[in-house]
Amino acid sequence: MEVSYRGEEVAAAASSAAVRLASGGVPERLAAGDPALWGQGAEGAAAPRVPRELLPELAELAGRARAEGLTNVVLAGAGGAALAAEAICATADVPLTVLDTTDPGQVRRALSDRLDATVVVVTGGEGPAVEQDSLLRVYDALFRDAGLAPAGRIVVVAGTRSPLAVAAVGGGHRVVREVVHEDVPGRALSASALVPAALAGADVERLLGDAADVLPLLGSAEGNPGLALGAALGGAALAGRDKLLLDDRLSASSGLPEWIEQLVAGFTGKQGRGILPVVGADRNDTRDELVVAIESDDGDVRVDGPLGAQFLVWEYAAAVAAHLLGVAPLDRPDAAEPEGNTAALLALPVLPAGAPALVDGPVEVHGPVTAKDLPGVFAELLHAVPDDGYLAITAYLDRLAAFDAPVPEGADFEQMTDAWLAADAATLRPLLALRTNRPVTFGWGARSLHATGQYHKGGPQNGVFLQITGAVDDDVPVPGRPYTLGGLQLAGALGELQALETRGRPVVRLHLTDRAAGVARLLAAAQEA
């Protein structure tokens, strides 16, 4: 595992920060999990560890699933563990369906896929438990209706005293005890990530072996890649370079930047401070950017190493950066409010959608706008971004819907890709990014809520927010609950909207009365803006 710098400015900032850290004994104290690093009453980062004691249980679970023909693995979970499992499986090229959403279209697609060969892993410990509870209820009922015993097909990973684990025991489901702190935003090397990865066929023993190889280096000030990376992240942020652009175009790993995004945002984004990770963006060469490249020389910092080692080093580095910024990595002071808002909204007879400020075809615009059409709204939002700020887009939609878009008969791969991009809400990010030199981020709700949500509410007051919601044509009821998955999705979006508004964050919501037509209008308007 190796971390190197390119450019004197970054090297100088990192070197200065590393000296401060070493003189305070931070590497050794962090490796030992010393809570005094974070101040009185604060919750510090747990000491880095590699849970190899899980390997026998993981092998037993995977062997039993294969013997029973359960080859379709679905993960119902959110946050760092889900993103880590997705990265592990994508890198190993083994299939895993991740449901970190309650979008009815996305969930229905998973429900209709090889039910007789399906095993579902439900994880807890991050995000509103209502999401995981709802998906557990939906799958439990579906298995029963199909004459399949849920007990052998649902595995719950949670702390032994969590409500999710208690409910699982009552339902006869297999429970695997979570072995790391349940609120650690990263949670890459945890049962919540490793159980679905092992069931999907990833080589988790090798993954943990790569992590174990780098672990001894994290306890000293010399030759410590976590210290070198954390000093670069924190030192650069203190010098004003607090927008972290992540580039993995040449990496052998897949999906790592999305996991890093939630880790760094969750560890550092609080008390008006933080580092904003930006995934998939080209650099603008502005004064506040720091580019970290995974296994290439295209950035200010280069990070090389296998995925298991990357996980451990980034978790350590994010804690180091948080220490330099003067915040406690595990404190999540702004995480509970959207969950409370969502619960309150779900208790209402009807969700308060509100009257739109204007309507542009299939798009309703909600919020304080003066524009007369959608291109004007986009222009207003971009103009509102301060010189040191960013635009954050969150779409509470089906993130895989574009793959169902019609493709011309006989189309080649390039034509198929063009058709998908033309139907993908995520295409909005690069279209708007072309019109500003400020960072534009994109996330899928509620996936994004568990990734950058803490930073959006607790970080610097320089963000402008665009939220996209959509009408539901074919909803999914939640057995034993008075709401549907679509209602839960909209309540989550409105709950986050309320939390942003409470903190004075400028936010506009675009509601698509027809999802496919609405996405097409968004992309056309972004090109007109």
Side-chain angles (χ1 to χ4, degrees):
M1 188 76 194
E2 186 176 352
V3 175
S4 56
Y5 312 134
R6 189 180 72 174
E8 294 183 4
E9 182 182 345
V10 172
S15 176
S16 174
V19 169
R20 287 173 50 196
L21 293 163
S23 65
V26 171
E28 297 82 2
R29 295 169 65 191
L30 182 57
D34 181 2
L37 276 172
W38 318 108
Q40 187 174 4
E43 198 169 359
R49 63 184 298 263
V50 179
R52 302 188 78 160
E53 70 275 13
L54 282 174
L55 286 173
E57 188 171 13
L58 294 174
E60 183 266 328
L61 279 169
R64 177 180 296 182
R66 283 193 295 271
E68 297 176 359
L70 302 180
T71 56
N72 181 38
V73 184
V74 177
L75 169 58
L83 291 167
E86 194 170 59
I88 294 166
C89 291
T91 300
D93 196 23
V94 296
L96 174 69
T97 298
V98 177
L99 290 180
D100 49 4
T101 178
T102 59
D103 182 84
Q106 198 168 329
V107 173
R108 280 192 180 279
R109 191 181 296 106
L111 295 176
S112 63
D113 184 19
R114 296 168 290 158
L115 185 65
D116 59 338
T118 296
V119 57
V120 181
V121 181
V122 184
T123 63
E126 281 188 77
V130 65
E131 295 170 354
Q132 287 85 357
D133 172 75
S134 297
L135 292 169
L136 173 60
R137 289 170 174 271
V138 168
Y139 263 104
D140 185 274
L142 187 65
F143 284 135
R144 293 182 190 278
D145 291 345
L148 302 170
R153 295 171 175 270
I154 296 177
V155 180
V156 173
V157 184
T160 52
R161 290 181 293 179
S162 74
L164 186 61
V166 173
V169 171
H173 305 307
R174 172 74 176 265
V175 178
V176 177
R177 185 177 69 86
E178 183 52 271
V179 295
V180 302
H181 194 299
E182 290 188 357
D183 292 326
V184 175
R187 300 181 71 215
L189 302 181
S190 65
S192 296
L194 296 173
V195 167
L199 286 170
D203 188 346
V204 293
E205 183 171 8
R206 179 179 177 182
L207 181 87
L208 294 180
D210 290 336
D213 289 343
V214 79
L215 183 60
L217 302 177
L218 302 181
S220 65
E222 298 296 327
N224 183 336
L227 181 66
L229 179 57
L233 299 178
L238 291 173
R241 301 177 69 169
D242 61 352
K243 310 300 187 297
L244 173 62
L245 274 63
L246 297 162
D247 183 353
D248 71 334
R249 284 172 291 185
L250 300 179
S251 173
S253 300
S254 181
L256 187 59
E258 287 78 7
W259 175 82
I260 294 170
E261 178 184 35
Q262 60 78 38
L263 172 76
V264 173
F267 267 34
T268 68
K270 56 208 79 174
Q271 299 178 27
R273 305 167 215 166
I275 298 170
L276 175 70
V278 184
V279 176
D282 294 326
R283 70 185 305 165
N284 291 310
D285 290 320
T286 56
R287 66 184 184 281
D288 57 351
E289 290 180 348
L290 178 75
V291 180
V292 175
I294 312 297
E295 299 176 354
S296 86
D297 288 321
D298 292 337
D300 304 300
V301 180
R302 173 172 177 153
V303 184
D304 291 279
L307 186 61
Q310 292 267 8
F311 282 144
L312 211 60
V313 165
W314 275 98
E315 288 178 5
Y316 183 101
V320 167
H323 178 76
L324 287 168
L325 293 176
V327 296
L330 295 196
D331 283 353
R332 301 176 67 203
D334 305 286
E337 184 176 334
E339 299 173 17
N341 293 344
T342 299
L345 288 165
L346 287 173
L348 298 175
V350 179
L351 290 174
L358 70 95
V359 177
D360 186 326
V363 182
E364 296 178 347
V365 181
H366 297 258
V369 298
T370 60
K372 304 303 181 184
D373 58 15
L374 195 53
V377 171
F378 288 148
E380 275 188 24
L381 287 169
L382 293 172
H383 182 71
V385 178
D387 290 343
D388 63 344
Y390 64 99
L391 172 65
I393 307 168
T394 305
Y396 285 78
L397 302 171
D398 179 351
R399 68 184 174 96
L400 301 178
F403 292 101
D404 293 333
V407 175
E409 187 176 349
D412 58 22
F413 180 76
E414 185 174 348
Q415 292 170 319
M416 291 171 62
T417 301
D418 288 343
W420 292 331
L421 290 175
D424 188 358
T427 306
L428 186 61
R429 190 207 67 76
L431 290 177
L432 292 181
L434 286 171
R435 288 153 177 78
T436 179
N437 68 346
R438 301 311 307 148
V440 179
T441 67
F442 184 92
W444 297 100
R447 182 186 184 96
S448 177
L449 176 61
H450 307 309
T452 49
Q454 172 59 48
Y455 181 95
H456 288 166
K457 296 181 290 293
Q461 184 86 349
N462 59 6
V464 174
F465 299 90
L466 176 62
Q467 187 184 87
I468 305 169
T469 56
V472 175
D473 294 326
D474 191 9
D475 213 336
V476 178
V478 179
R481 293 290 185 255
Y483 47 80
T484 63
L485 291 185
L488 176 55
Q489 181 185 39
L490 182 57
L494 296 177
E496 174 71 357
L497 185 78
Q498 289 177 1
L500 291 169
E501 291 175 335
T502 299
R503 288 159 177 77
R505 264 57 168 169
V507 55
V508 170
R509 180 170 72 96
L510 306 179
H511 184 70
L512 313 184
T513 54
D514 178 299
R515 291 195 178 198
V519 168
R521 179 60 190 138
L522 293 181
L523 302 186
Q527 295 177 75
E528 299 167 21

